[in-house]
Amino acid sequence: MSNFQRRLIPSTAALTAFDCVARLGSLSAAAAALDLTPGAISRQIASLEEQLGTILVVRNNKGVNLSQKGEQYAKGVAEVIEKIRLISLEAMAQGTASTLKLAIPPTFGTRWLLPRIPDFVERHPDVTINFSTRIGQFDFGKEELDAAIHVGRPDWPGCDCQLLLKETVVPVCSPEFLQRNPFDGPAALLRIPLLEMASRPQAWRLWFSHFGITERYREGMRFEQFINVSQACRAGLGVALMPSFLIASELESGRLVKALDLPVDSPVSYYFVCPIEKANDSSVGRFRSWLFDRVGAFNKSPK
């Protein structure tokens, strides 16, 4: 491998440190998440910048921000790290006796499930999980899948649907956007660009109606993917209505803040779904039991 080729393959330690800073918005938060010192995180990023020959992170009195190239690089790095994590989990479980073919929504999988999967692998090393990304209902037989995490309602014919998590949504934006646009109540959001998820076209209308507001709101940008909504919020493009448990890290780090601390229950929830004939399969049962145990622990944790 040539020196130039080696330059194009940074160390996983440096990429992980950069990804954590990009997600959490500070060296100290990234250091705490990775059990390192802020100095070690800083050195990893400096090494990565030197290897790439470009500035990724801009340091200032308030902390750190990503450069334009850093924002672009962060998106790709996040996808690569999740891919490595997924294929590593599959490799860890190779040669085992049981296989579970599981369909997951992309955001729930990346944000909530996959970070917890190493615990399942440790507890059940004889079960191999093969992940597939799916949104909405599908034919389990044709897709050759055993179970799924479903976002919506428990109305899947021929399947056992068990409630996992109820979804609560809250309006969020960047700290700078909130400073420029202080809100004194739900009606104040009517004049603000409201960012939307293409998969939740009625979310804002339902949120406003919860507070008795029927006036037409100002529509903003619409996005297909959760990560793009989060990035648009952080860039100060408007206010988004997002599931609170999926943006816990952004709220904790301060990259996003609640425009109004007015959470509303979403009409959709998360369910564990499997065909009735597979409900008693060993791999399905063990994963289901582990999953509900993790959900229980999450619900009891401080929010």
Side-chain angles (χ1 to χ4, degrees):
M1 182 183 293
S2 68
N3 289 335
F4 179 74
Q5 288 175 317
R6 283 194 293 270
R7 181 183 172 187
L8 297 178
I9 308 177
S11 74
T12 54
L15 292 176
T16 301
F18 171 69
D19 174 67
C20 206
V21 170
R23 286 188 295 106
L24 300 181
S26 77
L27 298 176
S28 58
L34 297 176
D35 197 21
L36 297 171
T37 65
I41 296 292
S42 182
R43 287 191 292 273
Q44 289 285 6
I45 291 177
S47 173
L48 180 60
E49 290 176 328
E50 182 179 1
Q51 185 173 357
L52 299 177
T54 190
I55 298 298
L56 301 173
V57 175
V58 180
R59 295 158 178 81
N60 53 53
N61 293 334
K62 295 183 179 180
V64 296
N65 289 308
L66 299 184
S67 67
Q68 184 176 359
K69 287 187 177 180
E71 290 279 2
Q72 296 170 346
Y73 195 61
K75 182 180 179 181
V77 167
E79 294 172 354
V80 169
I81 287 177
E82 289 305 325
K83 180 65 175 178
I84 292 174
R85 177 182 289 167
L86 180 58
I87 62 177
S88 296
L89 288 171
E90 292 175 348
M92 289 166 63
Q94 282 181 358
T96 56
S98 301
T99 299
L100 173 67
K101 289 174 280 189
L102 180 69
I104 57 176
T107 302
F108 178 85
T110 299
R111 290 267 172 161
W112 195 92
L113 181 61
L114 288 180
R116 292 170 169 82
I117 285 294
D119 179 72
F120 178 83
V121 173
E122 183 178 350
R123 293 170 184 261
H124 303 281
D126 59 326
V127 178
T128 300
I129 303 179
N130 294 331
F131 294 95
S132 297
T133 299
R134 295 289 189 280
I135 298 175
Q137 296 186 11
F138 54 84
D139 187 315
F140 277 97
K142 290 182 179 179
E143 298 286 344
E144 297 184 344
L145 293 167
D146 300 313
I149 308 299
H150 172 56
V151 185
R153 300 179 183 276
D155 56 357
W156 202 315
C159 292
D160 178 52
C161 299
Q162 298 187 30
L163 177 65
L164 266 180
L165 282 166
K166 292 185 178 180
E167 183 179 86
T168 300
V169 294
V170 64
V172 297
C173 59
S174 70
E176 296 79 12
F177 189 90
L178 182 59
Q179 187 175 18
R180 296 194 306 268
N181 303 276
F183 306 113
D184 56 6
L189 293 182
L190 291 170
R191 57 184 172 80
I192 296 298
L194 301 179
L195 309 178
E196 298 188 75
M197 281 283 294
S199 60
R200 311 283 180 88
Q202 300 298 316
W204 275 114
R205 183 184 64 79
L206 293 173
W207 186 85
F208 280 116
S209 66
H210 179 84
F211 298 102
I213 299 173
T214 58
E215 292 93 331
R216 183 177 179 84
Y217 61 86
R218 179 180 172 185
E219 296 182 1
M221 299 179 181
R222 180 170 294 185
F223 300 88
E224 294 285 342
Q225 297 185 359
F226 177 95
I227 189 173
N228 298 134
V229 180
S230 176
Q231 289 173 333
C233 271
R234 287 160 52 182
L237 296 178
V239 177
L241 200 58
M242 304 182 76
S244 53
F245 80 96
L246 293 180
I247 54 168
S249 62
E250 282 91 344
L251 293 174
E252 183 178 352
S253 68
R255 293 297 294 270
L256 292 178
V257 296
K258 295 177 182 179
L260 289 167
D261 193 5
L262 296 174
V264 171
D265 288 341
S266 169
V268 302
S269 297
Y270 292 76
Y271 296 87
F272 181 80
V273 181
C274 68
I276 293 175
E277 62 270 20
K278 287 184 175 288
N280 295 321
D281 284 5
S282 175
S283 57
V284 171
R286 283 191 282 172
F287 180 79
R288 179 175 55 223
S289 177
W290 170 85
L291 181 61
F292 277 90
D293 180 67
R294 292 297 86 207
V295 168
F298 172 78
N299 285 335
K300 293 177 182 178
S301 64
K303 301 298 189 294

